[in-house]
Amino acid sequence: MPDPHSGRCHCGAVTYRAEGLRDIWFCHCRQCRKVSGHFLAACRTEKAALTATGAIRWSPHSGTSELGRCAACGAPLFWRQPASPTISVLAGSLDDTHGLETRGHIFVAEKGDYYTIDDCLPQWSGLPEGNC
């Protein structure tokens, strides 16, 4: 099993430990931009591999997904689809990202027109099959 990662919200009321995190992806979809103020960086693991303490408030993110925020400070921490066995951890909430690499940009067809992507990472107009 890869190294475990820990993380927390801005105020520290929610802490978590995640094992088996997969590499980071930048999502430029409209929903992620609306909830984060820009594009969102996230990595994924199995739901059973994530343990959290503290109050998390889940709210609708899209028709089939939810965003988990700290109930105290509102910091976004997780993204999930209830029917899926995986959960995404927002990379900015990690204490460190050792062992994780950024794989690329997804949903670039929906990115904001106020910025360019020029980091030479792969880009997909939507979601690449089987890659994230």
Side-chain angles (χ1 to χ4, degrees):
M1 176 78 53
D3 289 336
H5 289 81
S6 62
R8 66 195 75 251
C9 65
H10 179 64
C11 73
V14 174
T15 60
Y16 65 86
R17 177 183 165 100
E19 295 187 18
L21 284 178
R22 299 180 192 131
D23 292 329
I24 298 167
W25 291 84
F26 297 139
C27 184
H28 300 267
C29 78
R30 285 178 189 88
Q31 290 92 355
C32 286
R33 289 189 299 114
K34 293 290 185 186
V35 300
S36 71
H38 196 37
F39 62 87
L40 197 143
C43 46
R44 182 173 55 147
T45 191
E46 300 296 316
K47 286 177 181 172
L50 177 85
T51 56
T53 61
I56 300 168
R57 181 173 295 131
W58 291 94
S59 60
H61 179 62
S62 69
T64 61
S65 64
E66 301 172 316
L67 186 69
R69 296 178 178 270
C70 169
C73 70
L77 300 166
F78 311 112
W79 177 90
R80 70 180 181 193
Q81 292 181 309
S84 173
T86 63
I87 188 167
S88 291
V89 173
L90 302 193
S93 69
L94 290 165
D95 292 332
D96 66 65
T97 57
H98 66 274
L100 300 174
E101 293 183 32
T102 302
R103 296 285 307 273
H105 299 267
I106 57 175
F107 293 100
V108 296
E110 298 180 31
K111 78 170 213 48
D113 60 1
Y114 61 92
Y115 65 95
T116 58
I117 302 170
D118 57 4
D119 58 13
C120 299
L121 290 170
Q123 299 179 28
W124 287 269
S125 62
L127 187 64
E129 288 190 34
N131 286 322
C132 61

